[in-house]
């Protein structure tokens, strides 16, 4: 029905979509999922000719979309937008009648077919009772149903929905999902939808397109092929368990991240630098940990973040090797902490001395957690990796990534004298 | 908001029709020559006792009322169209700089000493279209954002008024007075031939605009949604601008700067009749006609025999109402 061939798009110099290939099969329900700002809406805009593609092309039933006029496009696809601010107080019925524009030739009256299509659309979206109300007086959910009604009145073989269910109550959201499935089954309507509700998308879709934050397709296929633990971790950086919904057989995602079992968040000192500690600091801060950081050179993005979060920091002059004074300040902060975390930073002669802090901590029986220590980050010519090795031998623990580090911190600590968890 | 829309629209058609007739009668009755209502009806029914009254009503007041009605109708309907296309309650021939362009065109003609009765309005007409083209062309660079368009309109309007003031400063005193009088609005130049031709042009422009009514409805939903619903946005906008611009130009060309009709009248009509343009455009035309006939009658009778410029009267009536509307609706329509 729609073929997207090697599509790329950029807003100015910001690359939004890269090398998208996609064929929408007639009669399927396809959901596009991905993190915020990954280009889902842009993709949908390109697919309906609202933006000219940067590279590649889009075909509708074999015809390049650039050669089709708006009326022809509107007879083939109806769009339910994310949300539109409404300023003009059109009665609901008149707003829905706008969906018939592409089908009408005259400009004055609407035909019987038009009226029937409008009434049917109002009825199936549960908005018939709102028909006389001005759209400016509707709630967000009511307005979304009215916008869906307008798209249904357009009577097209293809429906494009841009987060069209985001404002709906649970009952209307499920009802809308049912409605889409029914239209799909009974009239063969093809549906392409952007959805933030992964569970609902999975329940209703035959195929899922998963995009990552860089505007690339990570996976395209049936729900159980796309929504795997690995894909979700890769795209959303969240640990999930994939189970099967016993009622529908569709895959269902369960977050394995425990949110509320942290009664007394520990005090943590973080050694980072060069931007490697950003996510760690942010996540620990949000989780409620008391944080201190250092030593950090002025101008370091990690320092900017630490200051923005109002953390205690041991500072050093820009681009200088770490001085004894900064090290001493860090040591004081470090001693006050329950746990020391070493972020996956790059080691060189300048910051090698920071690792002394870890050795001191282990000597004090203080827990030390290293995130993803690797020899290829050692630019000191060997000493850094050797020191890291001795820290590991001396009882330092390893976490594969930030997520794992958080999980480790939440478990009762088996080592040392720190009692991070309550 | 209960009751059927059709019922409401008929009710308001009756109300508007009555308002129009009352405004017309008031406009024929009011003026320097005093007349009782009975005498007016006698004149209208053809058995006037005084030939002076007959002449004043039919030779002076009747053409002038028609002129006021024409100008009001043109401004009211074009204002409604601009507001829809730009999705902006502030959109109006004046804010868009169209009237400024028209005034500049007229003053250029005056400065050059062109005083032929048809050439002067034609110059204003050209100025109006040139201003609209300039605003449209500049705003195009910003992909047609409504706010940018308004901003461009204000800038073009300022440019036009600056040039206009410069020309007035250059001009000899007697011409300056003419120009100022012209710019404050003037309905006294009701030359039947001019009125006929301008009326025909404005009528055609109105009919073309009316035939775009459903497109205007779609424009109110935003250009992206309108395009999704099947509207060729760029082409339609150009056509609507041309029609509404021609209506504005016609009004400015024959009556000078008459403000607040294009801004206020569509607002009131929308509150009463709803925003659908197949009703809003004719209703705005009728309401604009009634409004301007009343305003003109007031301008002639309040300080008779002296006459207040019509633009002053409409601004005094329209501006406070618009401020109130803006405050109450917090920028929404």
């Amino acid at each position: 029905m729609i073929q997207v061939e090697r599509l790329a798009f950029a807003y100015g110099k910001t690359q939004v979509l890269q090398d998208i290939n996609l064929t929408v099969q007639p009669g399927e329900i396809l959901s596009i999922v991905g993190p915020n700002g990954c280009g889902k809406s842009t993709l949908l805009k390109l697919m309906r000719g609202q933006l000219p593609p940067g590279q590649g092309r889009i075909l509708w039933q074999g015809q390049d979309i650039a050669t089709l006029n708006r009326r022809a496009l509107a007879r083939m696809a109806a769009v339910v937008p994310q949300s539109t601010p409404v300023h003009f107080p059109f009665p609901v019925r008149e707003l829905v009648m706008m969906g018939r524009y592409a089908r009408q030739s005259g400009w004055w009256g609407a035909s019987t077919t038009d009226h029937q299509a409008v009434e049917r659309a109002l009825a199936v979206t549960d908005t018939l009772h709102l028909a006389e109300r001005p759209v400016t007086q509707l709630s967000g959910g009511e307005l979304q149903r009215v916008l869906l009604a307008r798209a249904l009145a357009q009577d097209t073989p293809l429906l494009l929905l841009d987060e069209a269910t985001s404002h709906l109550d649970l009952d209307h959201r499920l009802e809308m999902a049912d409605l889409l499935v029914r239209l799909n089954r009974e009239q063969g309507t093809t549906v392409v939808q952007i959805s933030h509700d992964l569970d609902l998308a999975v329940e209703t879709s035959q195929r899922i397109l998963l995009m990552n934050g860089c505007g690339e397709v990570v996976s395209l296929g049936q729900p159980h092929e796309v929504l795997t633990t690995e894909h979700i971790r890769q795209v959303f950086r969240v640990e999930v368990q994939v189970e099967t919904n016993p009622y529908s057989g569709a895959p269902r995602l369960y977050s394995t991240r425990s949110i509320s079992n942290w009664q007394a968040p520990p005090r943590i000192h973080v050694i980072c630098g060069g931007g490697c500690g950003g996510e760690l600091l942010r996540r620990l801060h949000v989780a409620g940990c008391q944080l201190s950081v250092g030593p950090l050179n002025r101008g370091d993005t990690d320092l900017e973040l630490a200051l923005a979060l109002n953390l205690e920091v041991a500072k050093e002059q820009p681009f200088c090797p770490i001085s004894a004074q900064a090290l001493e300040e860090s040591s004081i902060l470090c001693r006050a902490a329950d746990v020391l975390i070493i972020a996956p930073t790059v080691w060189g002669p300048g910051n090698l001395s920071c690792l002394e802090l870890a050795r001191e901590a282990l000597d004090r029986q203080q827990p030390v957690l290293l995130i993803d220590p690797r020899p290829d980050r050692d630019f000191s010519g060997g000493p850094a990796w050797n020191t890291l090795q001795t820290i590991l031998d001396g009882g330092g623990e390893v976490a594969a990534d930030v997520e794992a580090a958080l999980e480790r911190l939440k478990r009762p600590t088996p080592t040392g004298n720190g009692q991070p968890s309550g | 908001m209960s009751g059927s829309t059709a019922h409401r629209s008929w009710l308001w058609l009756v109300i508007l029709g009555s308002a129009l007739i009352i405004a017309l009668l008031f406009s024929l009755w009011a003026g320097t020559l005093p007349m009782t209502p009975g005498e007016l009806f006698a004149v209208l029914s053809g058995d006037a006792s005084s030939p002076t009254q007959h002449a004043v009503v039919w030779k002076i007041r009747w053409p002038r009322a028609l002129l006021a009605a024409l100008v009001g109708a043109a401004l009211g309907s074009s204002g409604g169209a601009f507001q829809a296309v730009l999705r902006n309650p502030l959109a109006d021939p004046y804010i868009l700089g169209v009237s400024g362009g028209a005034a500049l065109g007229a003053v250029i003609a005056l400065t050059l000493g062109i005083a032929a009765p048809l050439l002067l309005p034609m110059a204003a007409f050209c100025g109006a279209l040139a201003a609209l083209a300039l605003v449209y062309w500049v705003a195009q660079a910003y992909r047609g954002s409504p706010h940018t368009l308004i901003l461009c309109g204000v800038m073009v309007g300022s440019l036009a008024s600056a040039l206009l003031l410069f020309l007035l400063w250059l001009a000899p005193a007697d011409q300056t007075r003419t120009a100022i009088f012209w710019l404050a609005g003037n309905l006294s130049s009701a030359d039947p031939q001019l009125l006929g031709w301008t009326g025909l042009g404005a009528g055609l422009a109105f009919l073309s605009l009316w035939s775009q009514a459903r497109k205007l409805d779609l424009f109110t939903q935003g250009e992206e949604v309108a395009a999704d619903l099947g509207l060729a946005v760029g082409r339609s906008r150009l056509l609507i601008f041309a029609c509404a611009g021609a209506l504005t130009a016609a009004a400015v060309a024959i009556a000078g700067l008459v403000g607040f009709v294009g801004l206020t009248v569509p607002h009131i009509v929308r509150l009463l009749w709803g925003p659908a343009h197949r009703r809003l455009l004719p209703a705005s035309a009728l309401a604009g006609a009634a409004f301007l006939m009343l305003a003109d009658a007031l301008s002639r009778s309040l300080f008779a025999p002296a006459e207040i410029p019509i633009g002053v009267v409409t601004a005094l009536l329209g501006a406070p109402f618009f401020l109130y509307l803006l405050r109450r609706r917090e920028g929404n329509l």
Side-chain angles (χ1 to χ4, degrees), chain A residues 169-202:
Chain A
D169 301 329
L170 182 62
D171 58 339
H172 283 117
R173 189 181 304 194
L174 294 174
E175 214 169 85
M176 191 148 154
D178 282 344
L179 181 62
L180 291 177
V181 170
R182 216 185 79 205
L183 283 170
N184 173 259
R185 205 168 34 221
E186 290 174 5
Q187 297 174 23
T189 308
T190 311
V191 178
V192 177
Q193 60 177 350
I194 291 177
S195 182
H196 265 145
D197 189 340
L198 277 180
D199 288 329
L200 200 58
V202 166

Side-chain angles (χ1 to χ4, degrees), chain B residues 158-233:
Chain B
S158 306
L159 183 68
S161 60
L163 287 171
L164 189 149
L165 287 171
F166 178 65
L167 288 176
L168 290 183
W169 176 75
L170 285 178
D174 59 327
Q175 279 194 9
T176 304
R177 196 193 155 277
T178 317
I180 286 174
F181 189 63
W182 213 83
L183 292 177
N186 178 13
L187 288 168
S188 63
S189 65
D191 169 14
Q193 203 191 349
L194 170 63
L195 186 59
W197 283 112
T198 319
L200 187 65
L204 288 175
F206 175 80
L207 287 179
S208 341
L209 195 62
W210 200 15
S211 74
Q212 314 289 313
R214 293 205 308 125
K215 296 181 182 173
L216 285 166
D217 288 350
L218 294 194
F219 267 112
T220 63
Q221 302 299 299
E223 292 183 357
E224 188 177 317
V225 172
D228 283 334
L229 293 173
L231 184 68
V233 169

Side-chain angles (χ1 to χ4, degrees), chain A residues 45 48 50 70-71 74 79 84-85 87-90 94-95 98 101-102 104 106-108 132 150 154, chain B residues 1 5 83 87 210-211 214-215 217-218 220-221 224-225 227-231 270 275-276 279 332-333:
Chain A
K45 274 187 189 167
R48 59 185 209 260
Q50 287 279 10
R70 292 297 342 169
R71 188 174 279 258
V79 181
T84 8
H87 300 298
F88 288 75
F90 281 97
E94 284 184 25
L95 195 88
M98 289 181 192
Y101 177 79
Q104 291 168 322
W107 61 276
W108 182 257
E132 307 295 334
R150 183 169 68 188
Q154 225 168 312
Chain B
M1 285 295 166
T5 329
Q83 282 166 21
R87 274 182 109 196
W210 200 15
S211 74
R214 293 205 308 125
K215 296 181 182 173
D217 288 350
L218 294 194
T220 63
Q221 302 299 299
E224 188 177 317
V225 172
D228 283 334
L229 293 173
L231 184 68
R270 206 177 284 118
R279 290 192 302 267
N332 275 347
L333 286 161

Side-chain angles (χ1 to χ4, degrees), chain B residues 223-266:
Chain B
E223 292 183 357
E224 188 177 317
V225 172
D228 283 334
L229 293 173
L231 184 68
V233 169
R235 199 159 8 108
S236 308
R237 186 177 42 200
L238 202 62
L239 184 59
I240 290 165
F241 276 171
C243 294
L247 279 171
T248 310
V252 175
I254 56 176
L257 288 186
V258 182
F260 290 94
V261 182
L263 201 58
T264 316
V265 166

